[in-house]
Amino acid sequence: AFSTPTWVTTTIDGKFLAVTPSDNRLVCARFNGTTAGDNISTVRFSDPGSPLEFDANNYVDLAPGDGEEITGMAVFDGRLFVFKGTKFFVFYGTDENSDGTPVFRYNTVAGGNGLAVPGALTVGDDGVYFLSHDGVYKTTGGTPARISSQIDPFFLGTGASFYTGGYLNGSVDNARMGSFNDQIWLACPVDSSTVNNRVLVFDTTLGIWTLYGMPVGCMAAFRISDRDELVFGYSTGANDIGRHSPAYTTDNGVAIPW
């Protein structure tokens, strides 16, 4: 059964949730108001180990007034990553003022590349991966590196004589990203489609991309029997759930074309 939490001191009403690994605080980001501590740039922290108690001073407004809203959060290597459209912020610890007020320490990485759309963000074993305005990037906390230069035509819409698989379109808000088996999976809409109809898969070990024609609306690793599989929700149709594995040769009874 689900119930509405009883918040202490401050009511939480944001879009994104995370947990700080260093001091076990529930984090809520991207609020709806227009005042300090309650706006599209706000990150609020609970008290340590108390996910229902949000002190009135436990917040940071990240570059408020820049015209950008927070688009996502992720945790990697003991740090909290908070993204906007052209930048991101890395929280690495918490101190206290002389009066006991917490000070949330963070660095700003403002190189023009942030998270383009919510949902196109994932954490791999070796870093945080995200979709920016011109491709897929990876960061470990510093300046991000673009890992999709091999397939620039897909993101930039420029022709390539060797590629006929279509190009990313304006429905990019539907894009979703996940990680599984040392691979980064990006589901997105191609050409005139309004739903995700292609999946780009980046092998972090080999450094190569593969293209799949799968209607993926969301994805996660899940152990159905004796090992993890990539499980995904369809981006269209009757809300079906799909399973992906090299062992499968049919799709709902229909042979998969190579």
Side-chain angles (χ1 to χ4, degrees), residues 11-12 33 35 67 74 79 105 110 112 134 137 151 173 183-184 195 220 256:
T11 298
I12 300 306
T35 60
R79 293 163 294 165
R105 303 295 184 184
D134 61 349
Y137 284 76
I151 53 173
D173 285 352
Q183 296 173 327
I184 304 302
V195 298
I256 298 172

Side-chain angles (χ1 to χ4, degrees), residues 22-112:
S22 58
D23 51 3
N24 196 29
R25 297 174 185 264
L26 181 64
V27 188
C28 187
R30 204 298 183 188
F31 285 70
N32 300 310
T34 58
T35 60
D38 180 19
N39 58 71
I40 60 176
S41 299
T42 295
V43 181
R44 280 198 170 271
F45 299 81
S46 76
D47 288 349
S50 300
L52 297 180
E53 188 167 357
F54 284 77
D55 188 85
N57 295 318
N58 288 12
Y59 75 87
V60 177
D61 287 339
L62 298 172
D66 64 356
E68 299 182 18
E69 64 180 69
I70 292 173
T71 51
M73 293 194 295
V75 172
F76 172 75
D77 194 29
R79 293 163 294 165
L80 173 69
F81 291 65
V82 182
F83 286 83
K84 282 189 163 185
T86 64
K87 61 181 77 73
F88 59 92
F89 310 85
V90 183
F91 287 82
Y92 56 86
T94 307
D95 297 328
E96 286 189 356
N97 285 330
S98 57
D99 61 358
T101 302
V103 178
F104 303 100
R105 303 295 184 184
Y106 66 92
N107 294 321
T108 302
V109 182

Side-chain angles (χ1 to χ4, degrees), residues 77-164:
D77 194 29
R79 293 163 294 165
L80 173 69
F81 291 65
V82 182
F83 286 83
K84 282 189 163 185
T86 64
K87 61 181 77 73
F88 59 92
F89 310 85
V90 183
F91 287 82
Y92 56 86
T94 307
D95 297 328
E96 286 189 356
N97 285 330
S98 57
D99 61 358
T101 302
V103 178
F104 303 100
R105 303 295 184 184
Y106 66 92
N107 294 321
T108 302
V109 182
N113 292 109
L115 177 61
V117 295
L121 169 69
T122 192
V123 176
D125 292 337
D126 58 345
V128 179
Y129 293 81
F130 61 95
L131 177 64
S132 191
H133 63 280
D134 61 349
V136 178
Y137 284 76
K138 168 192 168 183
T139 179
T140 57
T143 302
R146 187 159 57 98
I147 64 169
S148 59
S149 58
Q150 295 171 328
I151 53 173
D152 272 349
F154 180 84
F155 297 100
L156 304 181
T158 54
S161 60
F162 57 85
Y163 173 67
T164 60

